[in-house]
Amino acid sequence: MKRFFTIYEFELKSYLKNKSFTITTILLVVLLFAATFLPRVFDMSDMLGIEKTSTESGDNKDTSDEAKTDDADKTKIGIVDETGILGDMSVLKQAFEDTDIVTMKTEKELKKAVKSKDVSAGFDVKDDLNYEYYVVNRDMYDENQMIFEGILSQVHQQLYCEKKGLDYATFAAEYDAPVNCTEKILGKDAGDNYWYCYVLVMVIFMMIILYGVMVATSVTVEKSNRSIEVLVTSVDAKYLLFGKVFAGASAAIVQLGLILASALIGYNINHTYWGDKLDMILKIPGSVLAAFAIFGIGGFLFYAFLYGAMGALVSKTEDINKSAGTLQMLIMVVYFIVIFQLSTPDSVVMKVCSFLPFSSYSAMFVRIGMGSVTMAEIVVSAVILFVSTFAAGWLAAKIYRMGTLRYGNPIKLTTALKSLKNN
Amino acid sequence: MKLEVKNITKSFGETNVLKGISFSVESGKALGLLGRNGAGKTTTIRILMDVFHANSGEITLDGKPFEPRKVQIGYLPEERGLYPKRKVLEQMIYLAMLRGVSRKTAATNAKRWLERLEVSQYQDRLLETLSKGNQQKVQLASTLVCDPEIVILDEPFSGLDPVNSQILQDVVQELIRDGKIVIFSSHQMSYVEEFCEDIVIINHGEVVLSGHLDTIKRDFGKDQLVLSAIDMSPEEFSNQIRSRLTDIVQITGQTKEDVIVRLNEGVNRRELLAKLSQLEDIAIEHFETYKPSLNDIFVASAGE
């Protein structure tokens, strides 16, 4: 065990002393922490969709120049209302805030104005249920039609009430009568948990891909610099691989922990300036974080051992991608399955995935965060994951030892497994 | 301590690399493992170090099964390698600690060996910043940092300049004096002759010659003589011997100045001398017992 810690310490130091690792960590910590202070320094209320937090009373005084500029910046919409059902356009002006309504006489005139971009879009009203919409290039998020149809629908209702001798105000009050609901969620609110589950699934995916390759590289480097022969003749290969993987995991946790902590602390200090808008991502309940820690670490170690084995199959660092390709594909498939099933955490696919060691690290974590899962299921899944992780470590150590002096072309995994079987 | 290798065999696939290698070596002695490229020296060493498993045979230390990780062994592999991006002293301490040495002792030993090998000024430098020769010295220091009882050096002189080779020779002599078991493989026969009492010559995976070097030399030179004649080239002299003395000697070799002959069975050197004195056209210049070099023995044993 003493030798395991010797290896662990040596390998961990190599990560922590690595300049690019240290610089990346410091840079990300500082940048993220600084980013959480942005709403204090800059007015981001428009972007965040919150009311201005400024306490200065003079802020709302517009100068005449600014007002002029605002007028010039206003978008324009053209209207042809030959039937006159929109009246004096006051309803329209109310609905299209900050927009100039330009009345035109003919459809031809409207088309010309839209084409020459004098107006950004145009409506040709045929009657209270039919209209034509003119625009040069339709925006992905164009809401003009939706707003306009709301107005036409209102006009149609008014005309109907007039025709039938009904009081429109009474009709509208009944038609749009509010329904009151007091929500009593007895389980979990998927809506609330969705975003941080999404973020954490992505984080663990990135962590496995990035740091897994780091572990594989640290194994391959010892083959490429030929130090592996001295190492395996000095100490059991199991200690070497476990020491490396645990050091890689610790480095990952330290780096990720610092980055996450800087974001969480910074946000906690500044959450009022953010209008609590990032709560859905950054206000993660302790139980979800604990599940993330257990299954995330288990999953990371599981894949880190496999990455270590893949590193032992090649003797040049540039060949790692060749040997780790299948493993990376598996990780990607798991990621996409979990992401696509995120809104249905209790589906059969997610239930199966939550018990397989290849996928339980994110599937079970999502079920804990958003679905219904019993404690027994969590324990069984965790046991399967950790036993499989240990088995992966044992197998990886065997492959590592087998690959010791096999320099040259990458060894195929099937060849490696056959060699182990024959030995 | 006595390390014995008994009849080990090893094959890779269909290729039989070792076909029953046996030798033994004791504390305070050095064993030279000699052989041509691909003869099986490194495979033998790797089996000793448990890098490979032998298909059959046995290795014992004082009669008990040999477990390399339970004895302090300094191993310098043929494929040299340390951590280029780590500091010299730091990685030496690490390698010693992997062999169970305490951090404090490891640091003391590392500094002592760096000093002895005249590279102590580089202890805080990254290995990759050192010259190739100095990196070799650091590698050797790393081999010895665990204060080993058994030292196994695979081609230790390759890549060393004459000055560094001399330092290494001195270190090996010290190890032998300190009672260590030293096993090393080399192509450079002069170094092997310098401090090996015993040699093993391996050819095509088999031991073709082994034993005490002096005895081997004596046996190999037995009944052989070095001859030369005044005003006659070795080629001319050889022709004369072939045409006039084949009933007494057979030519076994030739150097730049001399001819090496072996007495035929039942003939002694007095008879040869008498016969030579009867040849009036040949004036003998040089007549002495043949003392073979290790190189001669190696070529004769391992040459095709």
Side-chain angles (χ1 to χ4, degrees), chain B:
Chain B
M1 279 201 298
K2 186 177 184 183
L3 182 70
E4 288 178 279
V5 173
K6 297 172 188 169
N7 205 27
I8 53 169
T9 63
K10 176 72 185 172
S11 56
F12 294 109
E14 299 295 308
T15 317
N16 294 325
V17 180
L18 300 182
K19 301 163 190 166
I21 301 288
S22 300
F23 58 82
S24 67
V25 58
E26 290 175 31
S27 295
K29 288 189 176 173
L31 174 86
L33 219 48
L34 312 177
R36 297 176 66 186
N37 292 333
K41 305 184 296 290
T42 298
T43 306
T44 304
I45 286 175
R46 283 177 174 166
I47 288 172
L48 257 174
M49 290 307 299
D50 203 25
V51 176
F52 298 146
H53 300 299
N55 295 118
S56 64
E58 191 186 11
I59 302 171
T60 60
L61 184 68
D62 294 333
K64 292 173 192 159
F66 176 60
E67 290 177 66
R69 282 196 208 101
K70 292 197 173 167
V71 189
Q72 275 310 5
I73 302 182
Y75 175 44
L76 180 75
E78 184 191 29
E79 296 273 8
R80 312 278 197 268
L82 290 172
Y83 295 93
K85 299 203 181 292
R86 300 298 284 260
K87 286 180 182 171
V88 168
L89 185 63
E90 180 190 20
Q91 59 185 305
M92 284 181 68
I93 292 171
Y94 172 61
L95 291 172
M97 287 174 75
L98 285 186
R99 283 214 155 263
V101 178
S102 73
R103 189 184 297 271
K104 198 177 162 191
T105 312
T108 312
N109 288 356
K111 285 176 186 169
R112 178 163 56 86
W113 278 112
L114 288 174
E115 189 84 36
R116 174 67 189 86
L117 291 165
E118 301 172 7
V119 279
S120 59
Q121 66 272 37
Y122 304 122
Q123 67 174 37
D124 292 321
R125 292 255 300 264
L126 299 181
L127 185 75
E128 65 183 359
T129 63
L130 272 59
S131 70
K132 204 176 171 193
N134 284 331
Q135 286 191 28
Q136 287 253 51
K137 285 182 174 179
V138 170
Q139 180 99 40
L140 181 68
S142 305
T143 304
L144 303 170
V145 72
C146 62
D147 202 10
E149 286 303 313
I150 299 171
V151 181
I152 298 176
L153 311 169
D154 199 352
E155 298 288 351
F157 294 100
S158 76
L160 288 184
D161 65 30
V163 176
N164 286 332
S165 292
Q166 186 56 53
I167 294 172
L168 176 57
Q169 279 186 63
D170 295 344
V171 167
V172 175
Q173 298 279 23
E174 284 166 27
L175 293 169
I176 295 166
R177 275 201 300 276
D178 290 347
K180 316 285 186 194
I181 288 177
V182 180
I183 297 173
F184 75 96
S185 75
S186 183
H187 288 122
Q188 279 132 312
M189 301 302 152
S190 55
Y191 296 127
V192 180
E193 272 185 307
E194 187 82 26
F195 38 67
C196 276
E197 284 191 37
D198 297 300
I199 61 159
V200 172
I201 298 179
I202 300 172
N203 199 28
H204 297 306
E206 289 176 291
V207 174
V208 289
L209 191 66
S210 70
H212 200 277
L213 186 55
D214 290 343
T215 314
I216 287 171
K217 278 189 173 183
R218 200 175 52 233
D219 291 348
F220 198 82
K222 196 182 169 190
D223 295 333
Q224 290 197 76
L225 295 151
V226 180
L227 307 176
S228 70
I230 295 168
D231 295 333
M232 202 175 276
S233 70
E235 288 79 19
E236 288 171 312
F237 190 36
S238 290
N239 289 336
Q240 291 292 331
I241 292 170
R242 275 195 202 97
S243 58
R244 297 159 79 176
L245 295 171
T246 45
D247 54 330
I248 293 182
V249 294
Q250 298 298 321
I251 296 171
T252 56
Q254 189 178 302
T255 66
K256 206 171 157 187
E257 290 169 352
D258 304 308
V259 178
I260 302 160
V261 296
R262 183 188 295 279
L263 294 168
N264 287 347
E265 212 172 321
V267 178
N268 62 39
R269 57 181 64 199
R270 194 181 293 274
E271 285 172 77
L272 173 63
L273 201 55
K275 187 85 178 177
L276 285 170
S277 63
Q278 286 167 15
L279 304 173
E280 288 177 358
D281 53 337
I282 297 174
I284 293 298
E285 183 187 29
H286 192 182
F287 183 99
E288 69 166 327
T289 305
Y290 172 56
K291 290 172 193 153
S293 69
L294 184 54
N295 201 57
D296 298 331
I297 296 169
F298 180 80
V299 172
S301 308
E304 297 298 338

Side-chain angles (χ1 to χ4, degrees), chain A residues 47-59:
Chain A
M47 203 174 91
L48 297 171
I50 54 173
E51 283 181 21
K52 288 187 182 180
T53 50
S54 172
T55 51
E56 289 169 44
S57 56
D59 274 4

Side-chain angles (χ1 to χ4, degrees), chain A residues 382-400:
Chain A
V383 169
I384 292 173
L385 178 60
F386 281 94
V387 169
S388 306
T389 301
F390 186 78
W394 179 83
L395 179 70
K398 291 272 179 199
I399 292 175
Y400 176 75

Side-chain angles (χ1 to χ4, degrees), chain A residues 112-133:
Chain A
K112 196 179 164 191
V114 172
K115 266 190 185 168
S116 61
K117 296 193 177 169
D118 288 341
V119 294
S120 62
F123 296 95
D124 178 10
V125 185
K126 303 293 181 194
D127 57 43
D128 58 333
L129 289 175
N130 293 290
Y131 75 99
E132 280 171 1
Y133 180 57

